[in-house]
Amino acid sequence: MIETKKRGKKMSKQIPNLQVALDHSDLQGAIKAAVSVGHEVDVIEAGTVCLLQVGSELVEVLRSLFPEKIIVADTKCADAGGTVAKNNAVRGADWMTCICSATIPTMKAALKAIQEERGQRGEIQVELYGDWTYEQAQTWLDAGISQAIYHQSRDALLAGETWGEKDLNKVKKLIEMGFRVSVTGGLNIDTLKLFEGVDVFTFIAGRGITEAEDPAAAARAFKDEIKRIWG
């Protein structure tokens, strides 16, 4: 289902991918969760917190367990893009995230480094947090970066914010610009229908899958609902 080739303004419709975020603080917990759901999802994410704890060792273990899957290193890289991207790519990361406040040279360096290791499979995703503009977004496209991740942050959700029309309008605008847009933040099966009619690239879920009583069944339920809505 994964479409890794860069897409231009005219993008074909596709069934959204499902990505599991390993939002764990320890390597053992992340690997246990990965083993329980990895074969049910399209993309496996080495989460930020665990990467900060154990480094790209997590990426290396995930690659050994799932040689054919897309592996994301969610570094939220802000600087030293080339070095951070190479360190993760040599361990097996196909995609890596950069925070939207990173400079264009940082993003370009990260993209160059990850593609040197992973070829055209290698991509950089821009994480959208805080204040950003569509003018900035165009500079990312111009730099060869065509993936963006739209968030409802964990802190915002805990503060009572929910997905709304303003979020959907931003996602739609980014798609119209030419981005493949992934969405994340408090997603569950019931919230998927909010995005009906929107060409979402990937839905990213963490605890909604990994902390379920049966994580594999939870992942399958996500996939079934995605296929029902977009199939």
Side-chain angles (χ1 to χ4, degrees):
M1 186 180 298
I2 291 291
E3 181 180 339
T4 59
K5 184 179 179 181
K6 309 295 189 299
R7 300 189 289 175
K9 297 275 184 176
K10 294 182 179 179
M11 296 186 290
S12 60
K13 299 289 184 181
Q14 69 162 18
I15 296 175
N17 302 300
L18 178 62
Q19 175 174 323
V20 65
L22 302 176
D23 295 324
H24 297 74
S25 297
D26 64 292
L27 182 63
Q28 183 178 3
I31 297 306
K32 180 179 178 181
V35 169
S36 69
V37 301
H39 294 292
E40 304 290 345
V41 302
D42 304 298
V43 184
I44 303 172
E45 173 194 321
T48 309
V49 173
C50 198
L51 284 175
L52 289 171
Q53 293 288 335
V54 303
S56 54
E57 179 184 354
L58 172 58
V59 173
E60 186 172 33
V61 175
L62 292 174
R63 174 55 64 208
S64 68
L65 289 171
F66 303 99
E68 302 304 319
K69 295 288 184 178
I70 292 289
I71 305 294
V72 181
D74 188 17
T75 61
K76 296 181 174 62
C77 182
D79 197 9
T83 300
V84 177
K86 181 176 181 179
N87 288 347
N88 283 278
V90 296
R91 295 291 189 101
D94 301 298
W95 300 347
M96 189 187 84
T97 63
C98 283
I99 196 72
C100 59
S101 57
T103 66
I104 293 298
T106 291
M107 294 184 185
K108 283 185 174 181
L111 181 61
K112 180 176 184 289
I114 203 165
Q115 289 187 338
E116 284 176 349
E117 294 292 337
R118 306 298 293 173
Q120 288 302 305
R121 187 179 173 102
E123 294 199 48
I124 294 300
Q125 301 172 296
V126 180
E127 294 255 13
L128 303 178
Y129 280 106
D131 296 326
W132 54 272
T133 67
Y134 296 114
E135 288 75 19
Q136 283 178 292
Q138 186 60 53
T139 67
W140 307 329
L141 283 172
D142 294 342
I145 297 168
S146 60
Q147 284 204 56
I149 302 174
Y150 189 90
H151 283 261
Q152 278 280 16
S153 75
R154 185 189 310 176
D155 293 337
L157 291 166
L158 290 173
E161 294 186 24
T162 58
W163 288 96
E165 194 65 29
K166 63 180 177 62
D167 301 300
L168 294 177
N169 287 338
K170 289 179 180 178
V171 170
K172 291 175 184 177
K173 172 66 174 176
L174 289 164
I175 293 170
E176 289 170 3
M177 291 179 68
F179 283 99
R180 288 163 294 158
V181 182
S182 300
V183 296
T184 186
L187 295 178
N188 55 49
I189 292 173
D190 292 332
T191 57
L192 292 176
K193 62 180 178 288
L194 297 174
F195 298 90
E196 186 170 1
V198 181
D199 190 20
V200 173
F201 181 51
T202 302
F203 286 105
I204 306 171
R207 292 169 179 80
I209 291 176
T210 61
E211 293 187 0
E213 184 174 343
D214 185 338
R220 288 193 293 270
F222 262 90
K223 295 277 284 188
D224 288 346
E225 182 67 358
I226 289 170
K227 289 176 182 176
R228 184 189 71 80
I229 297 172
W230 282 271

